[in-house]
Amino acid sequence: MSYPRAVMNLNLLSLPAVPVVTVALLLAACGDDSADIPATFDGAKLTVMTRNLYLGGDLAPVITVGGIDKIPEAVAALWKSVLASDPRGRMKAVAAEIADANPDVVGLQEVEIYAKQEPGDFTLAKPEPNATAIEFDFLKDILDELVARGLRYQAFENRLSDVEMPCDAEGGQRFDLRVTDRDVILVREGLVATNHRPKIFDNYLTVPLGALGPTGPIPGATGIPVKLQRGFGTVEVTVDGARFVFGNSHLEVGGLLASFQEGQANEVVKLVDGIRDNLVLVGDFNSAANGKSTRSYGWLAAKMGDAWAKVNPGQVGQTCCTDLSAPAFKGTERIDIVFMKNGVRAESALVVGADPDKRTVGSLFPSDHAGVVAKLVVKR
């Protein structure tokens, strides 16, 4: 899930978290080995895409709600925002992007499921996520639209945060709203894809929902512990005789939550170091490629090549973030990246999802992020 910049001060509230892993060897990183790949070699053509779908609302007012009794109202405001974001219309637009690019493999982040339970059965003693009446399933909407366009993809899911809370409704009624966050890898039908390995990062936030206000913890307040988890997943793919590992990840936001994000980046580096096969890693890394936010991008770029930087030197390629209803996409940083390692070379990379002429029927951008499509060559 994405958290607006207003949430970043939570790191100052002494929230519990798994200790950050230190990767001292990063200081002596071997560097980007894709620089050593010959300009021509026996390889297979490969098109990949990365796309953050945007959950459709602002989590900050829920996380810093300032009292358990205020949670239903805050969740209702979130739900209103999600409905206004037109998830089905946006997923249809994303599917159109995928159809236009015709990628072999896609990495999706913030692939939400919203489910209701009416009447709700939420209790403080056992806040269990058990709602099953699905209102929106971003993945299903995309896959259904692709099938309607004659395209089929196999989906590999990594389920992350799964939270259910009471939500106020009109007429004084109340229901439970469940939000399930996923990262998903899509592999085009006809390609061999095996050995899916999903992982939830060891570094994550646990927030005491209801015990935090906008300025910090509420003295004496008891909150509902909610894990806000992110992850990393890989699948092995063969295309035209070339075998490679495809990874997809979504790191925490930066700012004052940088320690969590950088801990996750360290986990990715350790995983990448253990992969000797051809590797393509995509995702929303929440770390600016110009180095002006966190150290995560630099650590990852020391281990892998950045497809955009290789083929578009000097071009900014901003991917984050815009208001859905803005007249033009107003990205300020490049955080959605296609990395590559070992026998993988980039031929082209372009930003998608920022064209104001390709918005939804309701004139919304498909996401607050833009996506990246890269054409690569993978060594056989």
Side-chain angles (χ1 to χ4, degrees):
M1 301 181 185
S2 292
Y3 316 119
R5 298 304 187 237
V7 180
M8 293 185 186
N9 64 347
L10 290 180
N11 190 18
L12 301 180
L13 307 181
S14 300
L15 295 177
V18 177
V20 172
V21 178
T22 301
V23 183
L25 290 178
L26 287 173
L27 299 177
C30 61
D32 168 21
D33 57 10
S34 66
D36 299 327
I37 298 174
T40 59
F41 58 83
D42 181 24
K45 301 287 186 178
L46 171 69
T47 301
V48 301
M49 181 178 187
T50 183
R51 200 70 174 91
N52 180 303
L53 302 181
Y54 178 50
L55 62 90
D58 184 347
L59 292 177
V62 179
I63 293 174
T64 60
V65 65
I68 287 178
D69 59 318
K70 298 178 181 179
I71 289 175
E73 181 180 359
V75 175
L78 171 65
W79 183 234
K80 182 178 180 180
S81 175
V82 171
L83 293 174
S85 77
D86 185 16
R88 288 197 177 90
R90 294 193 296 109
M91 297 310 107
K92 184 174 183 178
V94 170
E97 293 174 8
I98 294 173
D100 287 345
N102 194 29
D104 298 292
V105 194
V106 183
L108 301 174
Q109 309 88 41
E110 288 187 46
V111 190
E112 307 305 286
I113 299 175
Y114 288 97
K116 280 185 178 182
Q117 181 168 315
E118 298 181 275
D121 65 353
F122 177 86
T123 63
L124 293 176
K126 192 177 181 181
E128 182 181 0
N130 59 359
T132 57
I134 294 176
E135 295 289 312
F136 298 110
D137 182 336
F138 289 11
L139 177 60
K140 183 178 184 302
D141 288 344
I142 289 174
L143 292 178
D144 286 350
E145 181 63 24
L146 288 171
V147 169
R149 294 168 175 266
L151 298 171
R152 295 182 182 275
Y153 283 81
Q154 184 177 1
F156 298 88
E157 300 183 35
N158 186 11
R159 291 206 169 203
L160 305 168
S161 299
D162 192 4
V163 180
E164 185 169 327
M165 289 291 152
C167 179
D168 282 343
E170 294 182 4
Q173 302 300 313
R174 184 171 287 179
F175 61 88
D176 291 348
L177 180 67
R178 180 180 182 181
V179 186
T180 305
D181 182 44
R182 299 168 293 179
D183 292 341
V184 175
I185 296 172
L186 300 181
V187 180
R188 181 170 54 79
E189 184 179 55
L191 299 184
V192 177
T194 60
N195 202 19
H196 178 222
R197 295 178 180 270
K199 174 179 171 54
I200 293 175
F201 288 128
D202 295 329
N203 292 274
Y204 60 83
L205 293 86
T206 299
V207 296
L209 214 61
L212 301 175
T215 60
I218 302 171
T222 300
I224 304 165
V226 172
K227 295 178 181 179
L228 302 178
Q229 297 172 311
R230 299 186 189 264
F232 178 95
T234 60
V235 66
E236 296 175 10
V237 183
T238 301
V239 56
D240 193 19
R243 181 176 171 276
F244 66 99
V245 174
F246 183 89
N248 179 38
S249 188
H250 188 191
L251 302 189
E252 189 53 84
V253 295
L256 295 176
L257 293 184
S259 62
F260 293 96
Q261 181 202 103
E262 292 179 348
Q264 294 166 359
N266 285 341
E267 291 185 56
V268 174
V269 167
K270 291 183 71 176
L271 289 164
V272 165
D273 275 345
I275 296 175
R276 298 290 179 261
D277 295 320
N278 301 327
L279 172 66
V280 178
L281 170 63
V282 308
D284 169 10
F285 297 95
N286 274 314
S287 180
N290 62 9
K292 292 185 177 180
S293 57
T294 62
R295 296 173 291 178
S296 300
Y297 172 84
W299 290 347
L300 294 166
K303 296 289 185 176
M304 298 171 286
D306 176 344
W308 178 273
K310 291 289 185 182
V311 297
N312 300 306
Q315 297 186 35
V316 290
Q318 312 291 42
T319 63
C320 184
C321 285
T322 191
D323 185 277
L324 295 184
S325 60
F329 190 92
K330 296 183 179 180
T332 59
E333 54 188 359
R334 185 167 70 88
I335 61 177
D336 300 84
I337 312 293
V338 175
F339 285 116
M340 52 197 180
K341 180 186 177 186
N342 299 330
V344 184
R345 173 169 52 82
E347 292 195 326
S348 68
L350 58 91
V351 170
V352 297
D355 186 345
D357 293 330
K358 294 185 179 180
R359 290 182 286 192
T360 67
V361 174
S363 295
L364 300 177
F365 281 104
S367 172
D368 61 344
H369 284 242
V372 179
V373 174
K375 292 185 180 298
L376 312 172
V377 181
V378 182
K379 191 173 183 179
R380 290 189 177 94

